[in-house]
Amino acid sequence: MEISTLATYHCLAFVWYFFVAYSITHIKTEERPSEVFLYGGQWKYLTVLNLFLQAVFYGVSFLADVLRLIKKLRCAKPVISSRDLLFSVLAFPVSTFVCISFWTLYTYNRELVYPKSLDGVIPLWLNHAMHTAVLPFALLEILALPHRYPAKKKGLILLGFVAFLYISWVLWIYSVTGEWVYPLFALFSPPGLAAFFAGSLAIIVSFYNFGEFLNRMIWGQSKFSS
């Protein structure tokens, strides 16, 4: 794909994610259902954190494209490295996890992750923007250009560290409020919850490996952006 085309795509994707993130974070407090508690705001939901992650990723990608267009290659190299690290370790596995885990649980029992009362607050398009469109965007990014993956150990350590931070945030919120971020967590005993978190981490690691596999199958071992 031509750099100018990539720049246009990344710019539009950045604007889209910024708009979606703005829309979800500006829902009025009084419109929220009673079961949605206020502590932590929208920042306690992985879905919302992912929206901002994607916005940052596409912003960095757009900056890398612009620097390449204006031939500032020395400046572009660290930006491209940051872009690839963001995509491989976080943007692809997290967006894939958000989409697949949400719709799996939603199909089983939506009240565990997305109570029906939210339908009157969050429009259908916004629900799909947060939970559905993130996966096609991630797959399109793999098709659009190759990404350099870090050494497997480094990538998995970084992914595990970010997962640990989010789990710690969820547990902190529960210790302060006595409420779980997602009603699903209330179904588990402490050992069961630990097993659930471990299983979720294993799944997101598998999505990391899947992204690396797709990148290698489409672009080969040696073709990377410069």
Side-chain angles (χ1 to χ4, degrees):
M1 190 180 290
E2 294 292 331
I3 299 177
S4 57
T5 305
L6 276 174
T8 301
Y9 164 65
H10 286 144
C11 180
L12 291 174
F14 168 74
V15 171
W16 166 252
Y17 273 113
F18 184 86
F19 169 70
V20 174
Y22 178 86
S23 297
I24 192 64
T25 55
H26 282 74
I27 292 175
K28 295 179 180 179
T29 301
E30 59 270 18
E31 294 178 352
R32 295 173 183 169
S34 58
E35 60 265 36
V36 179
F37 60 96
L38 298 181
Y39 187 87
Q42 300 284 6
W43 303 105
K44 58 181 173 286
Y45 299 113
L46 183 60
T47 296
V48 176
L49 293 173
N50 181 55
L51 293 176
F52 281 89
L53 167 64
Q54 301 303 321
V56 169
F57 164 70
Y58 283 106
V60 171
S61 298
F62 176 61
L63 176 59
D65 298 335
V66 170
L67 290 173
R68 293 174 68 193
L69 279 172
I70 63 176
K71 308 299 183 182
K72 298 290 186 179
L73 299 184
R74 290 185 62 182
C75 296
K77 285 184 178 179
V79 179
I80 290 172
S81 296
S82 299
R83 177 201 69 190
D84 289 346
L85 190 66
L86 271 173
F87 180 76
S88 60
V89 175
L90 293 176
F92 182 84
V94 173
S95 60
T96 306
F97 179 82
V98 165
C99 178
I100 293 178
S101 63
F102 175 83
W103 288 112
T104 298
L105 292 169
Y106 185 98
T107 301
Y108 173 71
N109 182 357
R110 66 170 297 176
E111 295 299 318
L112 297 177
V113 290
Y114 193 83
K116 190 174 179 60
S117 57
L118 287 175
D119 289 346
V121 179
I122 300 177
L124 182 62
W125 74 266
L126 187 52
N127 182 19
H128 283 293
M130 294 188 295
H131 298 116
T132 307
V134 291
L135 181 54
F137 267 105
L139 293 173
L140 182 58
E141 179 65 22
I142 284 186
L143 293 172
L145 76 162
H147 297 82
R148 187 181 297 276
Y149 272 66
K152 182 62 68 71
K153 182 178 180 180
K154 177 183 178 181
L156 294 181
I157 287 175
L158 288 173
L159 178 59
F161 178 69
V162 173
F164 172 77
L165 289 179
Y166 181 68
I167 292 171
S168 299
W169 174 227
V170 168
L171 294 176
W172 170 259
I173 291 172
Y174 178 74
S175 71
V176 172
T177 66
E179 300 282 348
W180 287 111
V181 171
Y182 297 103
L184 169 69
F185 297 158
L187 300 179
F188 296 103
S189 64
L193 189 61
F196 176 82
F197 285 146
S200 297
L201 179 58
I203 291 171
I204 202 169
V205 166
S206 72
F207 291 148
Y208 172 92
N209 290 327
F210 180 61
E212 186 177 31
F213 169 78
L214 287 179
N215 189 71
R216 185 172 63 251
M217 288 298 98
I218 294 170
W219 299 103
Q221 293 279 10
S222 59
K223 185 177 180 181
F224 294 100
S225 299
S226 59

